């Protein structure tokens, strides 16, 4: 296309062009500034080639000005032969063609990245939905087992079965939590509730949680904890998860009746935790890989172990989020292994004894009988939680919908409401807002009990009016800690 002037050329360049041919006289036209402005606005992949016909290639002011103003210039002597001109234009077009190829590649890459982002988002949504759907039946099973455990039974066989259901339910819950944690960590969505506390309390919490697995394997646990508080700044639940995963790993890879040592002390300004076992050990060539996600170390051929291969990967990620390190040592196969976690020490509070007692994992046992309302559209979940609360002597009423809950709350005036979130009709968030708007329920403790457990889910529950958030399935200890705040 032949442009009558530089203004017209600027318009065509905005539409697109393969190359531009200019004479050096055009450089003195004031409209050349428009051309230069258009060329500066090109996308990153684009650099339209310009063939400039000049009378003095070596050092004329025109040539120097062109080279300074245009980034992709080919200079041809003027007058140019047809052969030279054609050759220069072909070279310019080949250059432009490569740019279009880069553009197309970038477009494909952008589409692929968008597809992966959408797929990753759908994966996260699927995992969250799957976790929610699995947590509901697990909540009923979990609460039912706890009711049976607290009621007791004289039948040894029934007791074994109840114990088995309890242990396997905990394994399922752990698998669900780990799957969700992998997604949160890889996408940077983990938020830590940092506070100064005694690291020993996290070890106590982890051992309480894993007590049934330790007892089932008949392991001997040797505790050697610092006599005084070991102060760290971190998320209590996440650090307990670190300890729990290390202990669980030791349980899995130590033959029944083995020995597990847990040692905590202060070394060089760090809190140092060591979890050692006399289990099957780790081959030297695999010790650098055990903290990789989805890595399964085949330590023995005749001892198949469950799990997804992400427990130790989560340990490393969580420790790093706390500005710490974790490492493993093993003399070899059959010689056990030792995992060492190092965390920065925190400054000591003014009153160690007061802080230590307040950070203890043990909570006072609730003795007061409370009026409690349980709301859940899943009748099995609602009934088992109700039975668990009644086993402690509380007055419990059950509602299976938001509308039923409003009536029950008005009639019974409960001090605590345990409420599901995902209900048809009036959902949990709407119910919380309605409860909060009623002055007669101003002092009620609202607890969200739901299968949705992300940080955003917890924030949304707070905004709706809930005081606390529990992720299904809830344990008796969870409930006890909540009620101890009344």
């Amino acid at each position: 296309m032949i442009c009558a002037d530089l203004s017209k050329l600027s318009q065509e360049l905005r539409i697109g062009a393969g190359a531009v041919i200019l004479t050096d006289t055009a450089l003195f036209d004031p409209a050349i500034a428009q051309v230069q402005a258009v060329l500066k606005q090109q996308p990153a992949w684009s650099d339209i080639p310009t063939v400039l016909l000049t009378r003095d290639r070596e050092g004329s002011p025109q040539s120097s000005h062109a080279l300074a103003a245009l980034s992709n210039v080919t200079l041809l002597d003027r007058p140019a032969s047809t052969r030279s001109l054609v050759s220069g234009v072909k070279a310019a077009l080949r250059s432009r063609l490569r740019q279009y190829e880069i553009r197309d590649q970038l477009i494909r890459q952008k589409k692929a990245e968008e597809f992966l982002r959408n797929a990753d988002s759908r994966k996260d949504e699927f995992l969250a939905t799957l976790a929610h759907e699995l947590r509901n039946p697990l909540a009923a099973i979990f609460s039912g087992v706890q009711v049976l455990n607290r009621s007791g039974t004289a039948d040894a066989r029934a007791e074994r079965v109840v114990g088995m259901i309890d242990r396997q339910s905990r394994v399922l819950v752990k698998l669900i939590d780990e799957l969700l944690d992998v997604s949160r960590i890889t996408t940077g969505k983990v938020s830590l509730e940092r506070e100064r506390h005694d690291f020993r309390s996290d070890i106590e919490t982890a051992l309480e949680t894993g007590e049934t697995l330790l007892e089932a394997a008949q392991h001997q646990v040797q505790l050697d904890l610092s006599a005084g508080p070991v102060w760290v700044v971190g998320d209590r639940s996440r650090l307990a998860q670190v300890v729990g995963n290390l202990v669980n790993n030791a349980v899995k890879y130590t033959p029944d009746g083995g020995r597990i040592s847990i040692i905590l002390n202060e070394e060089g300004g760090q809190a140092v935790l060591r979890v050692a076992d006399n289990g099957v050990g780790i081959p030297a060539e695999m010790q650098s890989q055990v903290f990789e996600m989805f890595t399964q170390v085949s330590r023995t051929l005749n001892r198949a172990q469950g799990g997804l291969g992400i427990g130790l990967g989560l340990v490393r990620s969580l420790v790093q989020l706390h500005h710490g390190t974790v490492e493993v040592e093993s003399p070899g196969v059959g010689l056990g292994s030792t995992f060492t976690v190092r965390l920065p020490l925190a400054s000591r509070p003014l009153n160690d004894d007061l802080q230590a007692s307040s950070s203890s994992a043990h909570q006072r046992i609730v003795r007061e009988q409370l009026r409690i309302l349980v709301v859940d559209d899943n009748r099995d979940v609602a009934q088992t939680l109700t039975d668990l609360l009644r086993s402690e002597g509380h007055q419990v009423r059950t509602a299976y919908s938001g509308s039923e809950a409003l009536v029950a709350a008005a009639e019974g005036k409960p001090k605590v409401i345990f409420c599901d979130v995902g209900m048809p009709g009036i959902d949990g968030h709407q119910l919380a807002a309605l409860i909060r708007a009623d002055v007669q329920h101003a002092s009620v403790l609202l607890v969200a009990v739901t299968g949705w457990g992300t940080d955003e889910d917890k924030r949304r529950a707070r905004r709706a009016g809930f005081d606390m958030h529990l992720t299904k399935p809830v344990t008796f200890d969870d409930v006890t800690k909540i009620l101890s705040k009344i």
Side-chain angles (χ1 to χ4, degrees), residues 373-430:
L373 174 61
V374 174
V375 187
D376 200 313
D377 62 309
N378 186 313
R379 290 177 177 266
D380 290 336
V381 174
Q383 191 57 56
T384 50
L385 180 56
T386 297
D387 292 342
L388 183 62
L389 291 166
R390 284 175 177 166
S391 70
E392 287 298 294
H394 298 297
Q395 302 173 27
V396 188
R397 186 164 177 173
T398 308
Y400 303 113
S401 67
S403 55
E404 285 185 31
L406 289 173
V407 174
E411 294 177 350
K413 295 179 175 54
K415 296 201 68 173
V416 186
I417 299 178
F418 290 96
C419 181
D420 185 29
V421 171
M423 299 184 295
I426 300 175
D427 64 27
H429 293 140
Q430 294 169 329

Side-chain angles (χ1 to χ4, degrees), residues 327-371:
E327 57 188 17
V328 63
E329 297 178 33
S330 176
V333 176
L335 299 175
S337 58
T338 300
F339 289 83
T340 303
V341 173
R342 300 178 187 274
L343 296 173
L345 279 174
S347 59
R348 295 180 179 276
L350 296 178
N351 190 333
D352 280 4
D353 294 335
L354 177 61
Q355 291 286 343
S357 63
S358 65
S359 65
S360 173
H362 297 289
Q363 301 288 334
R364 67 180 178 85
I365 299 175
V366 180
R367 296 299 183 188
E368 180 185 358
Q369 292 185 354
L370 301 171
R371 294 190 306 277

Side-chain angles (χ1 to χ4, degrees), residues 106-409:
L106 290 172
I107 291 173
R108 289 193 295 271
Q109 180 178 341
K110 184 177 180 180
K111 289 182 177 179
E113 290 173 351
E114 184 177 356
F115 174 81
L116 290 175
R117 280 194 299 270
N118 290 336
D120 190 59
S121 177
R122 288 194 296 271
K123 179 260 296 179
D124 290 343
E125 291 175 3
F126 169 75
L127 286 177
T129 303
L130 177 64
H132 175 265
E133 294 303 315
L134 290 175
R135 288 183 191 280
N136 271 318
L138 275 173
I141 295 171
F142 218 64
S143 297
V145 167
Q146 292 176 91
V147 171
L148 291 175
N149 280 333
R150 297 188 65 76
S151 62
T153 176
D155 189 333
R157 183 172 60 179
E159 187 175 346
R160 286 195 304 272
V161 171
V162 170
M164 177 270 295
I165 296 173
D166 183 35
R167 290 190 299 275
Q168 297 307 317
S169 297
R170 293 176 188 272
V171 171
L172 285 174
V173 172
K174 188 173 186 298
L175 290 175
I176 293 170
D177 290 340
E178 287 184 345
L179 276 174
L180 292 176
D181 280 338
V182 168
S183 178
R184 292 169 188 153
I185 288 174
T186 54
T187 55
K189 295 180 180 178
V190 174
S191 62
L192 301 179
E193 297 181 5
R194 300 179 188 271
E195 60 176 312
R196 180 171 55 185
H197 65 281
D198 185 356
F199 195 15
R200 296 179 304 174
S201 67
D202 302 329
I203 297 173
E204 293 173 5
T205 300
L207 290 178
E208 288 175 359
T209 303
E211 184 178 5
T212 55
L213 293 177
L214 287 166
E215 290 179 350
Q218 299 179 331
H219 290 314
Q220 177 187 356
V221 179
Q222 298 178 343
L223 277 178
D224 183 6
L225 306 185
S226 171
V230 179
W231 299 106
V232 296
V233 174
D235 187 306
R236 291 176 182 269
S237 63
R238 291 302 187 180
L239 289 178
Q241 183 180 357
V242 166
V243 179
N245 280 11
L246 291 177
V247 172
N248 182 63
N249 184 76
V251 170
K252 287 169 57 178
Y253 291 105
T254 301
D256 291 352
R259 184 180 67 257
I260 298 174
S261 300
I262 303 172
I263 305 167
L264 176 66
N265 50 42
E266 298 181 8
E267 296 178 10
Q270 294 180 313
V272 181
L273 168 72
R274 291 183 175 89
V275 178
D277 62 65
N278 64 341
V280 298
I282 307 174
E285 66 275 11
M286 292 299 298
Q287 291 181 28
S288 62
Q289 303 177 35
V290 294
F291 296 109
E292 299 297 327
M293 289 291 187
F294 309 111
T295 295
Q296 290 275 18
V297 180
S298 300
R299 305 194 191 177
T300 59
L301 293 176
N302 61 353
R303 185 175 174 81
Q305 293 296 337
L308 301 173
I310 58 182
L312 294 179
L314 289 174
V315 166
R316 181 175 66 176
S317 297
L318 291 172
V319 169
Q320 289 175 344
L321 287 173
H322 286 83
H323 310 294
T325 62
V326 60
E327 57 188 17
V328 63
E329 297 178 33
S330 176
V333 176
L335 299 175
S337 58
T338 300
F339 289 83
T340 303
V341 173
R342 300 178 187 274
L343 296 173
L345 279 174
S347 59
R348 295 180 179 276
L350 296 178
N351 190 333
D352 280 4
D353 294 335
L354 177 61
Q355 291 286 343
S357 63
S358 65
S359 65
S360 173
H362 297 289
Q363 301 288 334
R364 67 180 178 85
I365 299 175
V366 180
R367 296 299 183 188
E368 180 185 358
Q369 292 185 354
L370 301 171
R371 294 190 306 277
I372 300 175
L373 174 61
V374 174
V375 187
D376 200 313
D377 62 309
N378 186 313
R379 290 177 177 266
D380 290 336
V381 174
Q383 191 57 56
T384 50
L385 180 56
T386 297
D387 292 342
L388 183 62
L389 291 166
R390 284 175 177 166
S391 70
E392 287 298 294
H394 298 297
Q395 302 173 27
V396 188
R397 186 164 177 173
T398 308
Y400 303 113
S401 67
S403 55
E404 285 185 31
L406 289 173
V407 174

